[in-house]
Amino acid sequence: MPANGNSLDIRDEVAQGFEDIFGSPPAGIWSAPGRVNLIGEHTDYNQGFVLPFAINRRTVVALGPRDDGILRVASAFADEVAEISLADLTPDRLQDWSAYPLGVAWALGQFGADLAAVPGVDLYIESTVPVGAGLSSSAAIESAVAVALNDVWRLGLDRPTLARVGQLAENKAVGAPTGIMDQSASLLGTPDHAVFLDCRSLQSELVELGFTRAGLELLVIDTDVSHDHATGGYAERRASCEMGAMLMGVPALRDLGIVDLPRAREVLDHETYRRVRHVITENQRVLDTVRLLRSEGPLAIGELLDTSHVSLRDDFEISVPELDLAVETAQANGAIGARMTGGGFGGAAIALVPTDGISRLQVALDGAFAEHGFSQPTTFTVVASGGAGRN
Ligand code: GLA
């Protein structure tokens, strides 16, 4: 097994890809993982709690410094090499996928990097994080580029700051109004632990998952229904939450608890009330999950995962039939808990399943999806892995 514990190791391939395009070997290789969110969905931009973990699917970046002020980015998944000078780097000039890596370079400038003084770089990027599956392929690119540039530009920024850099790139260069969870998971992850993050203070604690010891595995069920947080539903949900907080007279929904629900029901229209109820109850579920993981272990958290899905489906209304079917099929076939994960409107579900029940569940999922006329889901297990870094 390679040093980073990743059986899908593509580091040699990325070094070769760099050399093929730019004509000399890279100066170094950096990588960052995608993430699964165990629980705490749409709570991050409400300044609440999340519990994601970094997974063993990574984005790998090969980098070579240049002696001018030009940035060039190439990738196995794009035909063209994107090029821009550091002096011209503004969010409105960035487009397509290169907005992620180049947006990070711009965002580092917003966090103190002197873009007039640093050298240009060539970057080559490749990934084993599936795109559009709700596993944060975008945060993996941002975090890998952020740690790479932080090193070669000798910026000395800490990881919580690099997470904010990635978020800023995503918000301004890509145009998706997302929160801080994904980049935090990608930068702060540790093997066999989830990152319990307070999205207001940005303080985090590692919480041991202990899946293996409990005889469990985490199965990702990618529905292949793709989503895009730069358009539509995600921004609407965020706006509803902000409206709800304003009408309730608090800075963010984080400041409300279960005891505030009766007043929220009186003050808010029914739709906003349900959006707010999701966030309030989801924050509580994160706290309960952390407590149960620490006191009893992962076998105790199944019901919280199930309830989270119901809340996302009925109150927040961001599930789709394929995700509901994945969750129901998992629950009916031995999973101790299951829920959609990520921003919703497509993407993946996760199921916590006894190891010896994984293949049975995979067969059941294929059958159920075929029966409903849905295209076959892609299923694979993930393990909690280390965060972004060199190599
Ligand atoms: C996406 C966003 C995150 C978070 C989740 C929902 O993954 O990037 O910031 O809001 O959706 O929990």
Side-chain angles (χ1 to χ4, degrees):
M1 170 98 40
N4 67 354
N6 181 4
S7 58
L8 298 150
D9 197 358
I10 51 169
R11 284 174 296 173
D12 292 345
E13 214 173 295
V14 173
Q16 190 58 53
F18 181 99
E19 193 166 347
D20 290 348
I21 292 202
F22 297 119
S24 57
I29 304 273
W30 286 258
S31 71
R35 65 99 187 91
V36 150
N37 188 16
L38 187 59
I39 198 158
E41 221 64 87
H42 286 264
T43 45
D44 61 353
Y45 56 78
N46 291 301
Q47 299 185 19
F49 304 106
V50 292
L51 191 63
F53 61 88
I55 59 174
N56 52 331
R57 297 277 185 136
R58 298 179 84 87
T59 292
V60 179
V61 174
L63 180 151
R66 300 169 57 89
D67 50 17
D68 57 13
I70 304 288
L71 300 174
R72 291 194 297 179
V73 194
S75 166
F77 46 77
D79 294 334
E80 288 180 11
V81 180
E83 181 172 326
I84 192 164
S85 96
L86 278 159
D88 291 338
L89 203 53
T90 51
D92 53 304
R93 296 205 182 181
L94 306 178
Q95 23 172 312
D96 304 328
W97 78 274
S98 67
Y100 293 94
L102 296 174
V104 167
W106 165 78
L108 284 167
Q110 304 298 300
F111 279 84
D114 181 357
L115 297 186
V118 294
V121 293
D122 290 330
L123 299 165
Y124 183 83
I125 301 175
E126 206 170 322
S127 187
T128 59
V129 186
V131 174
L135 302 180
S136 291
S137 54
S138 49
I141 297 180
E142 289 150 7
S143 303
V145 173
V147 288
L149 292 177
N150 189 46
D151 281 358
V152 296
W153 286 349
R154 298 177 196 281
L155 302 175
L157 298 173
D158 64 15
R159 281 168 183 255
T161 307
L162 292 178
R164 292 170 62 207
V165 165
Q167 185 195 12
L168 185 66
E170 180 120 8
N171 292 170
K172 301 289 186 218
V174 179
T178 47
I180 190 81
M181 166 171 72
D182 305 340
Q183 294 81 6
S184 302
S186 184
L187 284 152
L188 300 171
T190 301
D192 200 30
H193 288 74
V195 178
F196 172 36
L197 178 71
D198 178 335
C199 299
R200 172 169 278 166
S201 67
L202 298 188
Q203 302 254 317
S204 60
E205 285 171 33
L206 294 170
V207 179
E208 192 180 354
L209 289 167
F211 291 161
T212 314
R213 204 174 338 120
L216 296 173
E217 287 200 56
L218 204 288
L219 185 71
V220 172
I221 308 157
D222 179 2
T223 61
D224 295 327
V225 179
S226 72
H227 67 280
D228 176 2
H229 298 324
T231 51
Y234 185 96
E236 270 172 35
R237 294 303 183 280
R238 185 169 178 156
S240 291
C241 290
E242 281 160 8
M243 167 75 81
M246 196 189 77
L247 293 171
M248 290 294 287
V250 290
L253 293 183
R254 151 68 178 274
D255 298 300
L256 301 175
I258 305 285
V259 291
D260 297 302
L261 283 173
R263 186 166 68 88
R265 192 191 282 271
E266 273 170 31
V267 171
L268 305 173
D269 67 83
H270 192 56
E271 186 180 284
T272 312
Y273 171 66
R274 286 184 297 122
R275 306 293 188 249
V276 167
R277 180 167 63 182
H278 164 70
V279 175
I280 291 177
T281 57
E282 185 80 350
N283 271 326
Q284 187 58 48
R285 281 186 287 272
V286 176
L287 299 177
D288 291 345
T289 304
V290 170
R291 182 174 43 78
L292 285 175
L293 279 173
R294 285 179 169 155
S295 60
E296 294 177 39
L299 287 163
I301 68 168
E303 199 182 323
L304 288 164
L305 302 182
D306 295 346
T307 322
S308 170
H309 185 77
V310 170
S311 180
L312 288 158
R313 184 191 67 198
D314 298 347
D315 273 356
F316 220 60
E317 294 181 289
I318 57 166
S319 189
V320 294
E322 289 85 346
L323 285 170
D324 294 339
L325 181 65
V327 166
E328 282 154 27
T329 308
Q331 288 162 343
N333 287 276
I336 68 151
R339 59 182 288 275
M340 53 154 283
T341 188
F345 306 102
I350 52 170
L352 198 50
V353 189
T355 303
D356 57 11
I358 293 277
S359 7
R360 186 183 120 209
L361 173 54
Q362 284 172 314
V363 172
L365 285 162
D366 284 350
F369 272 62
E371 204 177 295
H372 283 75
F374 297 151
S375 65
Q376 291 291 285
T378 310
T379 58
F380 50 92
T381 58
V382 290
V383 295
S385 302
R390 187 158 189 169
N391 281 320

